[in-house]
Amino acid sequence: MVGTMSKGMYVPKESQPKQGGTAAKGRDGEKGGKRKIVAQNKKARHDYAIIDTYEAGIVLTGTEVKSLREGRTSLTDGFVQIDQGEAWLHNAHIPEYHQGTWTNHSVRRKRKLLLHREEIDKLESKAQETGHTIVPLALYFKDGRAKAEIALARGKKEYDKRQTLREQQDRRESDRAIAAAKRRQRGQ
């Protein structure tokens, strides 16, 4: 009877088959666990040259968290401002929770970001330089907690944006050509 298991039969843990790989354990190789992305700000990556990125916690109300879990949010007009030694996320659109009552939150209220003091001081000094700003890149859940990826960025000029698009298009075309050549080689 070794090797067969019937329903309801006790099997020691060490002889049970292993479950999944690293993804089944909630880890995807990075420190802290798997990220479930709720919203991304693709416009920020197009309009700004990203210098440095930071992960920040967000202070939210209950209905905001429930609305975020539904995945209905927008960071397009969002920006981060340092005020009296605290980082605040402005203009992030988190819609009202559809089952909320009088406890619902206001849609575009400013939300406090949780960062280390050194990070806030560094961001504040860099953001005061000409042409630099702090923009939100993504909102996501990591180990059940809402996080924001923010970036210190410098605005791009119009010709920089065009050049970036041109480089992306050239990269895509070369990748397609390489893939087509590999398919032809396999076909022979």
Side-chain angles (χ1 to χ4, degrees):
M1 198 168 213
V2 175
T4 62
M5 289 188 269
S6 64
K7 190 173 181 178
M9 185 175 157
Y10 172 76
V11 179
K13 190 168 188 164
E14 58 272 356
S15 63
Q16 290 179 358
K18 299 275 191 255
Q19 294 292 323
T22 56
K25 296 177 186 172
R27 308 276 181 215
D28 66 354
E30 65 183 40
K31 182 183 175 188
K34 192 166 183 153
R35 291 173 27 157
K36 181 184 177 256
I37 295 179
V38 176
Q40 287 187 326
N41 190 355
K42 293 181 181 178
K43 184 178 176 187
R45 293 195 186 271
H46 175 72
D47 291 342
Y48 298 98
I50 306 301
I51 297 169
D52 201 7
T53 61
Y54 298 90
E55 180 180 67
I58 315 172
V59 177
L60 298 172
T61 63
T63 55
E64 287 174 324
V65 174
K66 289 180 179 187
S67 186
L68 273 180
R69 289 198 188 279
E70 290 179 347
R72 305 176 310 132
T73 188
S74 172
L75 293 173
T76 305
D77 299 328
F79 64 95
V80 176
Q81 195 172 36
I82 308 292
D83 185 30
Q84 297 178 356
E86 295 180 336
W88 295 89
L89 176 63
H90 294 267
N91 278 353
H93 183 270
I94 300 177
E96 289 185 345
Y97 183 56
H98 62 87
Q99 291 181 351
T101 57
W102 57 273
T103 59
N104 249 332
H105 60 279
S106 64
V107 175
R108 290 199 182 262
R109 74 175 186 92
K110 69 179 190 175
R111 295 163 177 96
K112 187 175 181 179
L113 296 177
L114 305 173
L115 290 161
H116 291 284
R117 170 62 45 210
E118 306 87 46
E119 293 174 332
I120 292 174
D121 293 340
K122 183 177 178 183
L123 280 170
E124 186 174 22
S125 66
K126 292 285 189 178
Q128 290 173 353
E129 294 178 13
T130 306
H132 289 81
T133 187
I134 308 168
V135 293
L137 297 179
L139 283 177
Y140 55 91
F141 284 98
K142 183 175 175 181
D143 293 334
R145 300 187 190 276
K147 303 282 185 178
E149 182 180 17
I150 61 173
L152 179 66
R154 183 178 58 251
K156 285 185 184 178
K157 302 284 186 207
E158 215 35 61
Y159 57 84
D160 288 335
K161 295 177 190 177
R162 285 194 298 268
Q163 176 149 357
T164 302
L165 289 174
R166 208 174 300 122
E167 288 171 358
Q168 289 174 350
Q169 184 178 3
D170 291 344
R171 199 173 316 119
R172 262 189 245 117
E173 288 175 3
S174 66
D175 290 345
R176 285 186 194 128
I178 290 170
K182 286 182 179 178
R183 279 195 301 272
R184 283 192 300 266
Q185 280 182 344
R186 277 187 264 145
Q188 291 178 352

